[in-house]
Amino acid sequence: MSDTNEGLSASGRHAPQPFSQPQMPPQAPGPRGPVARRSSWLDQAPRTLDVAARAVCLLAGVGLLVTGLVGLFSDVDEGVLALVLGIGVLLLITPSIIDRIRSTRLGQFEVQLVRQVAASARRAANSLQRLGLGRELDAYATIYTELRGPELKNVRAMVLDRIIERVAGAAVVEKFDQDEVKAMFREGTPIVRVLALGLMEGDPSLIDGEILLEAVSRPLTGNEQYHALRLVRDEWNRLSPAEHAALRSAIDASPHLKDGSARGDVARQIRALHG
Protein backbone atom coordinates (compact mmCIF):
# COMPACT_ATOMS: atom_id res chain seq x y z
CA MET A 1 0.00 0.00 0.00
CA SER A 2 1.23 3.49 -0.84
CA ASP A 3 2.25 5.85 1.99
CA THR A 4 1.43 9.10 0.13
CA ASN A 5 -1.71 11.25 0.79
CA GLU A 6 -1.96 12.68 -2.69
CA GLY A 7 -5.63 13.03 -3.83
CA LEU A 8 -7.13 13.06 -0.27
CA SER A 9 -9.30 15.95 1.11
CA ALA A 10 -8.95 17.41 4.62
CA SER A 11 -11.63 15.00 5.84
CA GLY A 12 -9.60 12.10 4.70
CA ARG A 13 -11.89 11.27 1.82
CA HIS A 14 -10.96 11.36 -1.81
CA ALA A 15 -11.54 14.76 -3.28
CA PRO A 16 -13.66 14.78 -6.44
CA GLN A 17 -11.59 14.97 -9.57
CA PRO A 18 -12.59 16.91 -12.65
CA PHE A 19 -13.65 14.77 -15.60
CA SER A 20 -10.88 14.27 -18.10
CA GLN A 21 -10.17 12.02 -20.97
CA PRO A 22 -8.04 8.99 -20.04
CA GLN A 23 -4.45 9.54 -20.97
CA MET A 24 -2.67 6.77 -22.85
CA PRO A 25 0.93 6.11 -21.83
CA PRO A 26 3.38 7.54 -24.31
CA GLN A 27 4.38 5.09 -27.00
CA ALA A 28 8.02 4.67 -27.84
CA PRO A 29 8.53 5.28 -31.52
CA GLY A 30 9.01 1.90 -33.20
CA PRO A 31 11.09 1.09 -36.21
CA ARG A 32 9.41 1.57 -39.52
CA GLY A 33 10.14 0.84 -43.11
CA PRO A 34 13.39 -0.94 -44.03
CA VAL A 35 14.60 -1.09 -40.40
CA ALA A 36 11.55 -3.04 -39.28
CA ARG A 37 11.80 -5.38 -42.22
CA ARG A 38 15.50 -5.96 -41.51
CA SER A 39 14.82 -6.76 -37.83
CA SER A 40 12.08 -9.19 -38.80
CA TRP A 41 14.42 -10.93 -41.26
CA LEU A 42 17.15 -11.22 -38.62
CA ASP A 43 14.65 -12.78 -36.21
CA GLN A 44 13.71 -15.38 -38.81
CA ALA A 45 17.24 -16.04 -40.09
CA PRO A 46 18.24 -18.78 -37.59
CA ARG A 47 15.09 -20.79 -38.30
CA THR A 48 15.49 -20.31 -42.05
CA LEU A 49 19.09 -21.47 -41.94
CA ASP A 50 18.12 -24.47 -39.80
CA VAL A 51 15.46 -25.53 -42.29
CA ALA A 52 17.87 -25.02 -45.19
CA ALA A 53 20.58 -27.09 -43.47
CA ARG A 54 18.12 -29.92 -42.84
CA ALA A 55 17.04 -29.87 -46.47
CA VAL A 56 20.65 -30.00 -47.65
CA CYS A 57 21.39 -32.94 -45.33
CA LEU A 58 18.36 -34.87 -46.54
CA LEU A 59 18.98 -34.18 -50.23
CA ALA A 60 22.68 -35.00 -49.99
CA GLY A 61 21.93 -38.14 -47.98
CA VAL A 62 19.40 -39.37 -50.51
CA GLY A 63 21.80 -38.57 -53.36
CA LEU A 64 24.64 -40.54 -51.77
CA LEU A 65 22.38 -43.50 -51.01
CA VAL A 66 21.15 -43.58 -54.59
CA THR A 67 24.74 -43.36 -55.81
CA GLY A 68 25.72 -46.20 -53.51
CA LEU A 69 22.84 -48.39 -54.65
CA VAL A 70 23.80 -47.79 -58.27
CA GLY A 71 27.37 -48.70 -57.35
CA LEU A 72 26.19 -52.10 -56.12
CA PHE A 73 25.54 -53.05 -59.74
CA SER A 74 28.79 -51.65 -61.14
CA ASP A 75 32.49 -52.24 -60.72
CA VAL A 76 33.14 -49.97 -57.72
CA ASP A 77 35.61 -50.57 -54.91
CA GLU A 78 33.79 -52.02 -51.88
CA GLY A 79 35.55 -49.68 -49.47
CA VAL A 80 34.48 -46.61 -51.41
CA LEU A 81 30.96 -47.98 -51.70
CA ALA A 82 30.70 -48.58 -47.96
CA LEU A 83 31.98 -45.06 -47.27
CA VAL A 84 29.43 -43.48 -49.63
CA LEU A 85 26.55 -45.46 -48.14
CA GLY A 86 27.70 -44.71 -44.59
CA ILE A 87 27.94 -40.98 -45.16
CA GLY A 88 24.55 -41.02 -46.88
CA VAL A 89 22.91 -42.71 -43.89
CA LEU A 90 24.64 -40.32 -41.50
CA LEU A 91 23.38 -37.27 -43.42
CA LEU A 92 19.84 -38.65 -43.42
CA ILE A 93 19.73 -39.18 -39.66
CA THR A 94 21.72 -36.09 -38.66
CA PRO A 95 18.64 -33.80 -38.26
CA SER A 96 16.91 -36.21 -35.88
CA ILE A 97 20.11 -36.72 -33.90
CA ILE A 98 20.57 -32.95 -33.54
CA ASP A 99 16.96 -32.61 -32.33
CA ARG A 100 17.53 -35.23 -29.64
CA ILE A 101 20.79 -33.64 -28.56
CA ARG A 102 19.14 -30.22 -28.32
CA SER A 103 16.14 -31.51 -26.39
CA THR A 104 18.26 -33.36 -23.83
CA ARG A 105 21.37 -31.20 -23.67
CA LEU A 106 20.52 -30.18 -20.13
CA GLY A 107 19.43 -33.66 -19.15
CA GLN A 108 21.08 -37.01 -18.76
CA PHE A 109 21.66 -37.81 -22.42
CA GLU A 110 24.65 -35.69 -23.38
CA VAL A 111 27.82 -37.77 -23.21
CA GLN A 112 30.48 -36.14 -21.05
CA LEU A 113 33.40 -38.00 -22.57
CA VAL A 114 36.16 -35.83 -21.12
CA ARG A 115 34.55 -36.15 -17.70
CA GLN A 116 34.71 -39.93 -18.10
CA VAL A 117 38.42 -39.60 -18.86
CA ALA A 118 38.88 -37.44 -15.75
CA ALA A 119 37.46 -40.23 -13.58
CA SER A 120 40.67 -42.21 -14.05
CA ALA A 121 43.09 -39.69 -15.59
CA ARG A 122 42.64 -36.13 -14.36
CA ARG A 123 45.75 -34.69 -16.00
CA ALA A 124 44.90 -36.31 -19.34
CA ALA A 125 41.43 -34.78 -19.21
CA ASN A 126 42.89 -31.37 -18.38
CA SER A 127 45.25 -31.67 -21.35
CA LEU A 128 42.37 -32.45 -23.70
CA GLN A 129 40.44 -29.46 -22.38
CA ARG A 130 43.47 -27.19 -22.69
CA LEU A 131 43.88 -28.24 -26.31
CA GLY A 132 40.27 -27.22 -26.96
CA LEU A 133 38.98 -30.75 -27.61
CA GLY A 134 36.51 -31.05 -24.75
CA ARG A 135 33.27 -29.98 -26.42
CA GLU A 136 34.22 -31.52 -29.76
CA LEU A 137 34.91 -34.95 -28.25
CA ASP A 138 31.72 -34.78 -26.19
CA ALA A 139 29.71 -33.98 -29.33
CA TYR A 140 31.26 -36.83 -31.31
CA ALA A 141 30.69 -39.24 -28.43
CA THR A 142 27.04 -38.18 -28.16
CA ILE A 143 26.47 -38.84 -31.87
CA TYR A 144 28.36 -42.14 -31.61
CA THR A 145 26.09 -43.22 -28.75
CA GLU A 146 22.98 -42.31 -30.75
CA LEU A 147 23.92 -44.40 -33.79
CA ARG A 148 22.35 -47.69 -32.82
CA GLY A 149 21.47 -50.74 -34.85
CA PRO A 150 23.50 -53.11 -37.01
CA GLU A 151 22.77 -51.10 -40.16
CA LEU A 152 24.71 -48.16 -38.67
CA LYS A 153 27.76 -50.18 -37.66
CA ASN A 154 29.98 -48.71 -40.37
CA VAL A 155 28.82 -45.18 -39.61
CA ARG A 156 29.56 -45.68 -35.91
CA ALA A 157 33.04 -46.86 -36.84
CA MET A 158 33.64 -43.72 -38.92
CA VAL A 159 32.54 -41.45 -36.06
CA LEU A 160 34.75 -43.32 -33.61
CA ASP A 161 37.67 -43.13 -36.02
CA ARG A 162 37.23 -39.36 -36.04
CA ILE A 163 37.39 -39.33 -32.23
CA ILE A 164 40.54 -41.47 -32.26
CA GLU A 165 42.10 -39.23 -34.91
CA ARG A 166 41.58 -36.13 -32.77
CA VAL A 167 42.92 -37.82 -29.63
CA ALA A 168 45.95 -39.19 -31.48
CA GLY A 169 46.65 -35.69 -32.76
CA ALA A 170 46.53 -34.40 -29.18
CA ALA A 171 49.16 -36.98 -28.15
CA VAL A 172 51.45 -35.69 -30.90
CA VAL A 173 51.58 -32.16 -29.47
CA GLU A 174 51.06 -32.90 -25.77
CA LYS A 175 52.92 -35.36 -23.53
CA PHE A 176 50.55 -37.69 -21.67
CA ASP A 177 51.50 -39.78 -18.67
CA GLN A 178 51.79 -43.50 -19.42
CA ASP A 179 50.39 -44.56 -16.03
CA GLU A 180 47.32 -42.39 -16.60
CA VAL A 181 46.82 -43.84 -20.07
CA LYS A 182 47.00 -47.36 -18.60
CA ALA A 183 44.47 -46.34 -15.92
CA MET A 184 42.15 -44.96 -18.63
CA PHE A 185 42.18 -48.35 -20.31
CA ARG A 186 41.81 -50.51 -17.20
CA GLU A 187 39.21 -48.37 -15.39
CA GLY A 188 37.43 -46.58 -18.21
CA THR A 189 34.21 -47.17 -20.11
CA PRO A 190 34.43 -48.99 -23.47
CA ILE A 191 34.84 -45.75 -25.40
CA VAL A 192 37.49 -44.46 -22.95
CA ARG A 193 39.44 -47.70 -23.41
CA VAL A 194 39.57 -46.98 -27.13
CA LEU A 195 40.64 -43.40 -26.38
CA ALA A 196 43.61 -44.78 -24.46
CA LEU A 197 44.61 -46.76 -27.55
CA GLY A 198 44.20 -43.59 -29.61
CA LEU A 199 46.69 -41.79 -27.37
CA MET A 200 49.11 -44.66 -27.96
CA GLU A 201 48.63 -44.26 -31.71
CA GLY A 202 49.61 -40.60 -31.44
CA ASP A 203 52.57 -41.26 -29.12
CA PRO A 204 54.01 -44.80 -29.47
CA SER A 205 56.12 -44.28 -26.33
CA LEU A 206 52.86 -44.76 -24.39
CA ILE A 207 52.40 -48.30 -25.72
CA ASP A 208 52.15 -51.05 -23.12
CA GLY A 209 52.37 -54.70 -24.17
CA GLU A 210 50.00 -55.93 -21.46
CA ILE A 211 47.34 -53.42 -22.51
CA LEU A 212 47.60 -54.50 -26.14
CA LEU A 213 47.38 -58.18 -25.17
CA GLU A 214 44.23 -57.54 -23.12
CA ALA A 215 42.66 -55.49 -25.91
CA VAL A 216 43.33 -58.25 -28.44
CA SER A 217 42.37 -61.23 -26.28
CA ARG A 218 39.57 -59.76 -24.12
CA PRO A 219 38.18 -56.67 -25.88
CA LEU A 220 34.97 -55.04 -24.69
CA THR A 221 34.13 -53.95 -28.24
CA GLY A 222 35.18 -54.81 -31.77
CA ASN A 223 36.55 -51.29 -32.24
CA GLU A 224 38.84 -51.77 -29.26
CA GLN A 225 40.28 -54.96 -30.73
CA TYR A 226 40.65 -53.37 -34.17
CA HIS A 227 42.65 -50.39 -32.90
CA ALA A 228 44.79 -52.64 -30.69
CA LEU A 229 45.61 -54.83 -33.71
CA ARG A 230 46.56 -51.77 -35.73
CA LEU A 231 48.93 -50.70 -32.96
CA VAL A 232 50.47 -54.18 -32.83
CA ARG A 233 50.98 -54.17 -36.60
CA ASP A 234 52.34 -50.62 -36.85
CA GLU A 235 54.59 -50.77 -33.78
CA TRP A 236 55.67 -54.41 -34.03
CA ASN A 237 59.35 -53.55 -33.64
CA ARG A 238 58.72 -51.84 -30.30
CA LEU A 239 57.46 -55.08 -28.77
CA SER A 240 59.63 -57.82 -27.29
CA PRO A 241 59.85 -61.40 -28.66
CA ALA A 242 57.84 -62.62 -25.65
CA GLU A 243 55.10 -60.07 -26.42
CA HIS A 244 55.17 -61.14 -30.09
CA ALA A 245 54.51 -64.74 -29.10
CA ALA A 246 51.72 -63.84 -26.64
CA LEU A 247 50.00 -61.60 -29.17
CA ARG A 248 50.18 -64.19 -31.94
CA SER A 249 48.65 -66.78 -29.61
CA ALA A 250 45.85 -64.34 -28.69
CA ILE A 251 45.18 -63.62 -32.36
CA ASP A 252 45.00 -67.34 -33.20
CA ALA A 253 42.64 -67.95 -30.28
CA SER A 254 40.25 -65.06 -31.03
CA PRO A 255 36.99 -66.18 -32.69
CA HIS A 256 36.39 -62.71 -34.13
CA LEU A 257 39.43 -62.49 -36.39
CA LYS A 258 38.05 -64.16 -39.48
CA ASP A 259 39.41 -63.39 -42.91
CA GLY A 260 37.30 -60.85 -44.77
CA SER A 261 36.66 -58.57 -41.81
CA ALA A 262 38.71 -55.44 -41.17
CA ARG A 263 40.06 -56.98 -37.98
CA GLY A 264 40.79 -60.24 -39.75
CA ASP A 265 42.79 -58.44 -42.43
CA VAL A 266 44.98 -56.70 -39.84
CA ALA A 267 45.46 -59.99 -37.96
CA ARG A 268 46.58 -61.66 -41.19
CA GLN A 269 49.14 -58.88 -41.72
CA ILE A 270 50.46 -59.41 -38.18
CA ARG A 271 50.89 -63.15 -38.76
CA ALA A 272 53.08 -62.34 -41.74
CA LEU A 273 55.45 -60.16 -39.71
CA HIS A 274 58.87 -61.47 -38.74
CA GLY A 275 60.06 -61.68 -35.18
mmCIF file of all heavy atoms in Angstrom, residues 187-216:
data_model
loop_
_atom_site.group_PDB
_atom_site.id
_atom_site.type_symbol
_atom_site.label_atom_id
_atom_site.label_comp_id
_atom_site.label_asym_id
_atom_site.label_seq_id
_atom_site.Cartn_x
_atom_site.Cartn_y
_atom_site.Cartn_z
ATOM 1 N N GLU A 187 40.336 -48.817 -16.226
ATOM 2 C CA GLU A 187 39.214 -48.373 -15.391
ATOM 3 C C GLU A 187 38.114 -47.675 -16.184
ATOM 4 O O GLU A 187 37.051 -47.388 -15.627
ATOM 5 C CB GLU A 187 39.728 -47.409 -14.307
ATOM 6 C CG GLU A 187 40.808 -47.993 -13.412
ATOM 7 C CD GLU A 187 41.447 -46.950 -12.518
ATOM 8 O OE1 GLU A 187 40.845 -45.857 -12.379
ATOM 9 O OE2 GLU A 187 42.537 -47.208 -11.970
ATOM 10 N N GLY A 188 38.362 -47.397 -17.447
ATOM 11 C CA GLY A 188 37.426 -46.582 -18.210
ATOM 12 C C GLY A 188 36.278 -47.359 -18.829
ATOM 13 O O GLY A 188 36.255 -48.590 -18.846
ATOM 14 N N THR A 189 35.318 -46.601 -19.352
ATOM 15 C CA THR A 189 34.208 -47.166 -20.108
ATOM 16 C C THR A 189 34.742 -47.700 -21.437
ATOM 17 O O THR A 189 35.886 -47.417 -21.807
ATOM 18 C CB THR A 189 33.157 -46.089 -20.374
ATOM 19 O OG1 THR A 189 33.773 -45.023 -21.131
ATOM 20 C CG2 THR A 189 32.605 -45.523 -19.065
ATOM 21 N N PRO A 190 33.943 -48.472 -22.186
ATOM 22 C CA PRO A 190 34.431 -48.994 -23.466
ATOM 23 C C PRO A 190 35.000 -47.929 -24.399
ATOM 24 O O PRO A 190 36.047 -48.135 -25.018
ATOM 25 C CB PRO A 190 33.191 -49.664 -24.058
ATOM 26 C CG PRO A 190 32.429 -50.131 -22.860
ATOM 27 C CD PRO A 190 32.634 -49.061 -21.831
ATOM 28 N N ILE A 191 34.350 -46.773 -24.488
ATOM 29 C CA ILE A 191 34.844 -45.750 -25.401
ATOM 30 C C ILE A 191 36.128 -45.109 -24.858
ATOM 31 O O ILE A 191 37.024 -44.740 -25.620
ATOM 32 C CB ILE A 191 33.767 -44.676 -25.678
ATOM 33 C CG1 ILE A 191 34.200 -43.795 -26.860
ATOM 34 C CG2 ILE A 191 33.479 -43.838 -24.461
ATOM 35 C CD1 ILE A 191 33.099 -42.883 -27.353
ATOM 36 N N VAL A 192 36.267 -45.011 -23.533
ATOM 37 C CA VAL A 192 37.492 -44.456 -22.950
ATOM 38 C C VAL A 192 38.657 -45.419 -23.156
ATOM 39 O O VAL A 192 39.799 -44.996 -23.361
ATOM 40 C CB VAL A 192 37.282 -44.137 -21.458
ATOM 41 C CG1 VAL A 192 38.600 -43.743 -20.785
ATOM 42 C CG2 VAL A 192 36.271 -42.998 -21.301
ATOM 43 N N ARG A 193 38.389 -46.721 -23.120
ATOM 44 C CA ARG A 193 39.445 -47.698 -23.409
ATOM 45 C C ARG A 193 40.004 -47.490 -24.823
ATOM 46 O O ARG A 193 41.214 -47.555 -25.046
ATOM 47 C CB ARG A 193 38.892 -49.113 -23.255
ATOM 48 C CG ARG A 193 38.686 -49.541 -21.811
ATOM 49 C CD ARG A 193 37.828 -50.798 -21.707
ATOM 50 N NE ARG A 193 38.447 -51.986 -22.264
ATOM 51 C CZ ARG A 193 39.062 -52.934 -21.552
ATOM 52 N NH1 ARG A 193 39.168 -52.815 -20.238
ATOM 53 N NH2 ARG A 193 39.555 -54.017 -22.142
ATOM 54 N N VAL A 194 39.112 -47.223 -25.766
ATOM 55 C CA VAL A 194 39.574 -46.979 -27.131
ATOM 56 C C VAL A 194 40.332 -45.650 -27.205
ATOM 57 O O VAL A 194 41.302 -45.520 -27.962
ATOM 58 C CB VAL A 194 38.391 -46.998 -28.117
ATOM 59 C CG1 VAL A 194 38.867 -46.798 -29.548
ATOM 60 C CG2 VAL A 194 37.640 -48.326 -28.018
ATOM 61 N N LEU A 195 39.908 -44.662 -26.420
ATOM 62 C CA LEU A 195 40.639 -43.402 -26.379
ATOM 63 C C LEU A 195 42.078 -43.616 -25.915
ATOM 64 O O LEU A 195 43.005 -42.984 -26.430
ATOM 65 C CB LEU A 195 39.955 -42.411 -25.439
ATOM 66 C CG LEU A 195 38.696 -41.704 -25.919
ATOM 67 C CD1 LEU A 195 38.296 -40.635 -24.912
ATOM 68 C CD2 LEU A 195 38.889 -41.087 -27.281
ATOM 69 N N ALA A 196 42.259 -44.481 -24.936
ATOM 70 C CA ALA A 196 43.613 -44.778 -24.461
ATOM 71 C C ALA A 196 44.465 -45.347 -25.589
ATOM 72 O O ALA A 196 45.641 -44.989 -25.745
ATOM 73 C CB ALA A 196 43.555 -45.756 -23.286
ATOM 74 N N LEU A 197 43.878 -46.225 -26.396
ATOM 75 C CA LEU A 197 44.606 -46.765 -27.554
ATOM 76 C C LEU A 197 44.898 -45.661 -28.564
ATOM 77 O O LEU A 197 45.951 -45.664 -29.209
ATOM 78 C CB LEU A 197 43.800 -47.883 -28.200
ATOM 79 C CG LEU A 197 43.540 -49.120 -27.327
ATOM 80 C CD1 LEU A 197 42.617 -50.110 -28.043
ATOM 81 C CD2 LEU A 197 44.850 -49.809 -26.939
ATOM 82 N N GLY A 198 43.977 -44.709 -28.708
ATOM 83 C CA GLY A 198 44.203 -43.588 -29.607
ATOM 84 C C GLY A 198 45.385 -42.734 -29.175
ATOM 85 O O GLY A 198 46.167 -42.270 -30.007
ATOM 86 N N LEU A 199 45.531 -42.524 -27.864
ATOM 87 C CA LEU A 199 46.690 -41.787 -27.370
ATOM 88 C C LEU A 199 47.982 -42.535 -27.690
ATOM 89 O O LEU A 199 49.003 -41.920 -28.021
ATOM 90 C CB LEU A 199 46.556 -41.552 -25.866
ATOM 91 C CG LEU A 199 45.462 -40.565 -25.434
ATOM 92 C CD1 LEU A 199 45.306 -40.566 -23.923
ATOM 93 C CD2 LEU A 199 45.779 -39.148 -25.922
ATOM 94 N N MET A 200 47.936 -43.866 -27.599
ATOM 95 C CA MET A 200 49.114 -44.663 -27.958
ATOM 96 C C MET A 200 49.427 -44.549 -29.444
ATOM 97 O O MET A 200 50.599 -44.551 -29.846
ATOM 98 C CB MET A 200 48.890 -46.135 -27.578
ATOM 99 C CG MET A 200 48.773 -46.400 -26.098
ATOM 100 S SD MET A 200 48.521 -48.168 -25.758
ATOM 101 C CE MET A 200 48.057 -48.113 -24.023
ATOM 102 N N GLU A 201 48.399 -44.445 -30.270
ATOM 103 C CA GLU A 201 48.627 -44.260 -31.709
ATOM 104 C C GLU A 201 49.348 -42.937 -31.974
ATOM 105 O O GLU A 201 50.227 -42.866 -32.848
ATOM 106 C CB GLU A 201 47.303 -44.289 -32.468
ATOM 107 C CG GLU A 201 46.651 -45.669 -32.529
ATOM 108 C CD GLU A 201 45.384 -45.663 -33.364
ATOM 109 O OE1 GLU A 201 45.142 -44.673 -34.090
ATOM 110 O OE2 GLU A 201 44.625 -46.653 -33.293
ATOM 111 N N GLY A 202 48.973 -41.896 -31.242
ATOM 112 C CA GLY A 202 49.607 -40.604 -31.443
ATOM 113 C C GLY A 202 51.007 -40.534 -30.868
ATOM 114 O O GLY A 202 51.866 -39.830 -31.396
ATOM 115 N N ASP A 203 51.251 -41.262 -29.777
ATOM 116 C CA ASP A 203 52.569 -41.263 -29.118
ATOM 117 C C ASP A 203 52.938 -42.709 -28.798
ATOM 118 O O ASP A 203 52.567 -43.238 -27.748
ATOM 119 C CB ASP A 203 52.521 -40.429 -27.842
ATOM 120 C CG ASP A 203 53.867 -40.389 -27.124
ATOM 121 O OD1 ASP A 203 54.854 -40.937 -27.667
ATOM 122 O OD2 ASP A 203 53.935 -39.807 -26.022
ATOM 123 N N PRO A 204 53.678 -43.382 -29.679
ATOM 124 C CA PRO A 204 54.011 -44.797 -29.472
ATOM 125 C C PRO A 204 54.787 -45.078 -28.191
ATOM 126 O O PRO A 204 54.812 -46.225 -27.731
ATOM 127 C CB PRO A 204 54.859 -45.139 -30.712
ATOM 128 C CG PRO A 204 54.416 -44.162 -31.748
ATOM 129 C CD PRO A 204 54.136 -42.908 -30.991
ATOM 130 N N SER A 205 55.407 -44.050 -27.593
ATOM 131 C CA SER A 205 56.119 -44.281 -26.333
ATOM 132 C C SER A 205 55.153 -44.643 -25.201
ATOM 133 O O SER A 205 55.579 -45.135 -24.148
ATOM 134 C CB SER A 205 56.930 -43.040 -25.942
ATOM 135 O OG SER A 205 56.090 -41.963 -25.583
ATOM 136 N N LEU A 206 53.863 -44.411 -25.394
ATOM 137 C CA LEU A 206 52.856 -44.760 -24.388
ATOM 138 C C LEU A 206 52.426 -46.220 -24.472
ATOM 139 O O LEU A 206 51.699 -46.716 -23.595
ATOM 140 C CB LEU A 206 51.615 -43.874 -24.551
ATOM 141 C CG LEU A 206 51.809 -42.367 -24.357
ATOM 142 C CD1 LEU A 206 50.535 -41.617 -24.749
ATOM 143 C CD2 LEU A 206 52.184 -42.061 -22.909
ATOM 144 N N ILE A 207 52.858 -46.928 -25.492
ATOM 145 C CA ILE A 207 52.401 -48.303 -25.718
ATOM 146 C C ILE A 207 52.819 -49.212 -24.568
ATOM 147 O O ILE A 207 53.953 -49.151 -24.078
ATOM 148 C CB ILE A 207 52.956 -48.837 -27.059
ATOM 149 C CG1 ILE A 207 52.253 -48.143 -28.221
ATOM 150 C CG2 ILE A 207 52.793 -50.342 -27.169
ATOM 151 C CD1 ILE A 207 52.797 -48.516 -29.578
ATOM 152 N N ASP A 208 51.899 -50.060 -24.166
ATOM 153 C CA ASP A 208 52.152 -51.046 -23.116
ATOM 154 C C ASP A 208 51.737 -52.411 -23.647
ATOM 155 O O ASP A 208 50.583 -52.598 -24.070
ATOM 156 C CB ASP A 208 51.354 -50.692 -21.859
ATOM 157 C CG ASP A 208 51.593 -51.671 -20.721
ATOM 158 O OD1 ASP A 208 52.571 -51.486 -19.975
ATOM 159 O OD2 ASP A 208 50.808 -52.642 -20.606
ATOM 160 N N GLY A 209 52.654 -53.379 -23.618
ATOM 161 C CA GLY A 209 52.374 -54.700 -24.175
ATOM 162 C C GLY A 209 51.220 -55.412 -23.498
ATOM 163 O O GLY A 209 50.426 -56.091 -24.159
ATOM 164 N N GLU A 210 51.092 -55.272 -22.187
ATOM 165 C CA GLU A 210 50.004 -55.932 -21.460
ATOM 166 C C GLU A 210 48.642 -55.368 -21.864
ATOM 167 O O GLU A 210 47.659 -56.113 -21.974
ATOM 168 C CB GLU A 210 50.217 -55.798 -19.956
ATOM 169 C CG GLU A 210 51.429 -56.558 -19.427
ATOM 170 C CD GLU A 210 51.568 -56.426 -17.926
ATOM 171 O OE1 GLU A 210 50.709 -55.731 -17.317
ATOM 172 O OE2 GLU A 210 52.508 -57.005 -17.361
ATOM 173 N N ILE A 211 48.596 -54.046 -22.070
ATOM 174 C CA ILE A 211 47.341 -53.416 -22.511
ATOM 175 C C ILE A 211 46.954 -53.948 -23.883
ATOM 176 O O ILE A 211 45.790 -54.299 -24.129
ATOM 177 C CB ILE A 211 47.495 -51.882 -22.543
ATOM 178 C CG1 ILE A 211 47.719 -51.332 -21.142
ATOM 179 C CG2 ILE A 211 46.274 -51.241 -23.204
ATOM 180 C CD1 ILE A 211 46.565 -51.483 -20.205
ATOM 181 N N LEU A 212 47.904 -54.011 -24.794
ATOM 182 C CA LEU A 212 47.603 -54.503 -26.138
ATOM 183 C C LEU A 212 47.137 -55.957 -26.092
ATOM 184 O O LEU A 212 46.195 -56.332 -26.803
ATOM 185 C CB LEU A 212 48.841 -54.380 -27.036
ATOM 186 C CG LEU A 212 49.302 -52.962 -27.366
ATOM 187 C CD1 LEU A 212 50.498 -53.008 -28.308
ATOM 188 C CD2 LEU A 212 48.178 -52.147 -27.977
ATOM 189 N N LEU A 213 47.778 -56.774 -25.263
ATOM 190 C CA LEU A 213 47.381 -58.176 -25.167
ATOM 191 C C LEU A 213 45.954 -58.304 -24.645
ATOM 192 O O LEU A 213 45.166 -59.110 -25.161
ATOM 193 C CB LEU A 213 48.346 -58.925 -24.248
ATOM 194 C CG LEU A 213 48.078 -60.418 -24.055
ATOM 195 C CD1 LEU A 213 48.120 -61.153 -25.398
ATOM 196 C CD2 LEU A 213 49.069 -61.023 -23.067
ATOM 197 N N GLU A 214 45.606 -57.499 -23.654
ATOM 198 C CA GLU A 214 44.235 -57.541 -23.123
ATOM 199 C C GLU A 214 43.229 -57.075 -24.166
ATOM 200 O O GLU A 214 42.144 -57.651 -24.303
ATOM 201 C CB GLU A 214 44.128 -56.685 -21.866
ATOM 202 C CG GLU A 214 42.752 -56.720 -21.225
ATOM 203 C CD GLU A 214 42.684 -55.953 -19.919
ATOM 204 O OE1 GLU A 214 43.746 -55.648 -19.348
ATOM 205 O OE2 GLU A 214 41.558 -55.636 -19.478
ATOM 206 N N ALA A 215 43.580 -56.018 -24.900
ATOM 207 C CA ALA A 215 42.656 -55.490 -25.910
ATOM 208 C C ALA A 215 42.455 -56.474 -27.055
ATOM 209 O O ALA A 215 41.372 -56.511 -27.666
ATOM 210 C CB ALA A 215 43.171 -54.161 -26.441
ATOM 211 N N VAL A 216 43.461 -57.265 -27.373
ATOM 212 C CA VAL A 216 43.332 -58.252 -28.445
ATOM 213 C C VAL A 216 42.606 -59.501 -27.961
ATOM 214 O O VAL A 216 41.753 -60.050 -28.671
ATOM 215 C CB VAL A 216 44.728 -58.624 -28.998
ATOM 216 C CG1 VAL A 216 44.625 -59.810 -29.959
ATOM 217 C CG2 VAL A 216 45.357 -57.432 -29.707
#
